């Protein structure tokens, strides 16, 4: 399954998505300016950055459709503390947006606190999507290219890792408190 097909499948047929983010906020939870900032350092034209950021933001519509998927996002606390090129107002707005996203009934955000130390999530970001028929796919990010995984053994490995990662994260209410504190620190 290629990148385009994975994105289309996730937009149309998934019932649940688990997403680990250790470097930046997951795309489904980004504000437009944050999305652009994550792409700005790439070898892209301003038009390409705008097109990619716009497409990323449009995908967020799945969270507000009639039957939205369950989205469980686990974010490393360092994501909330990392400056976006000296723009504290951008990070404050992004953190406030995360808080607002938790008002959606099918969105859960958990934060792995900085004092956790080594945990399985440090191996890199990934997404696991469960489709309506129970089939699972995974998207694993890399520096050069992303991989789409559909083999049961690979998915099972990521699901075991996911369970351990969620176990290291704070519960929802504590995560929300930490996100709010991060937002106020960016003033």
């Amino acid at each position: 399954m290629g990148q385009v097909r994975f994105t289309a499948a996730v937009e149309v047929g998934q019932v649940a998505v688990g997403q680990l983010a250790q470097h930046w906020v997951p795309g489904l939870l980004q504000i437009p300016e944050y999305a652009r900032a994550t792409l700005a350092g790439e070898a892209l034209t301003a038009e390409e950055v705008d097109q990619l950021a716009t497409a990323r933001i449009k995908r967020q519509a799945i969270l507000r459709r009639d039957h939205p998927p369950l989205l469980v996002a686990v974010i490393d606390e360092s994501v909330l503390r990392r400056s976006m090129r000296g723009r504290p107002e951008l990070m404050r707005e992004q953190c406030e947006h995360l808080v607002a996203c938790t008002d959606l009934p099918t969105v859960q955000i958990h934060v792995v606190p900085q004092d956790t130390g080594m945990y399985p999530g440090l191996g890199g970001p990934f997404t696991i999507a469960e489709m309506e028929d129970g089939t699972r796919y995974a998207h694993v990010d890399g520096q050069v290219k992303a991989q789409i995984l559909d083999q049961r053994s690979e998915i099972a490995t990521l699901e075991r890792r996911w369970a351990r990662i969620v176990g290291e994260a704070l519960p929802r209410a504590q995560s929300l408190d930490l996100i709010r504190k991060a937002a106020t620190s960016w003033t």
Side-chain angles (χ1 to χ4, degrees):
M1 174 176 272
Q3 172 69 33
V4 173
R5 286 184 55 208
F6 179 82
T7 299
V10 167
E11 287 178 3
V12 173
Q14 87 287 8
V15 294
V17 179
Q19 191 166 33
L20 169 67
Q22 66 183 127
H23 303 298
W24 48 65
V25 171
L28 288 174
L29 302 173
Q30 292 178 1
I31 61 174
E33 283 303 310
Y34 186 96
R36 283 180 185 82
T38 65
L39 297 165
E42 301 295 328
L44 301 169
T45 66
E47 183 179 326
E48 290 169 325
V49 167
D50 191 54
Q51 288 172 351
L52 290 169
T54 299
R56 186 178 294 174
I57 299 305
K58 282 183 179 180
R59 283 193 290 275
Q60 295 174 4
I62 67 167
L63 300 175
R64 289 173 176 78
R65 67 185 186 195
D66 287 340
H67 299 286
L70 170 64
L71 171 64
V72 179
V74 176
I75 300 171
D76 193 280
E77 183 179 355
S78 63
V79 170
L80 305 174
R81 306 289 182 195
R82 187 169 292 117
S83 170
M84 289 303 284
R85 295 182 169 82
R87 296 177 60 194
E89 74 286 350
L90 175 59
M91 284 307 300
R92 185 185 69 252
E93 290 171 21
Q94 180 59 67
C95 288
E96 289 169 350
H97 179 71
L98 289 174
V99 171
C101 286
T102 64
D103 288 339
L104 295 170
T106 60
V107 174
Q108 296 180 17
I109 301 173
H110 298 273
V111 178
V112 177
Q114 286 179 327
D115 63 359
T116 298
M118 301 294 276
Y119 71 102
L122 296 175
F126 62 89
T127 302
I128 299 173
E130 179 183 347
M131 312 316 278
E132 290 177 349
D133 66 0
T135 305
R136 289 180 169 83
Y137 296 97
H139 177 268
V140 180
D141 278 329
Q143 286 289 324
V144 177
K145 70 177 188 173
Q147 291 183 324
I148 306 302
L149 307 175
D150 59 2
Q151 293 186 351
R152 288 184 192 170
S153 61
E154 293 173 329
I155 302 296
T157 297
L158 287 176
E159 287 176 334
R160 286 189 299 275
R161 186 166 285 178
W162 175 252
R164 292 176 58 209
I165 292 165
V166 172
E168 294 293 342
L170 296 171
R172 289 174 68 186
Q174 289 178 322
S175 293
L176 191 55
D177 287 344
L178 191 112
I179 295 167
R180 284 186 181 117
K181 287 177 187 172
T184 60
S185 74
W186 289 108
T187 56

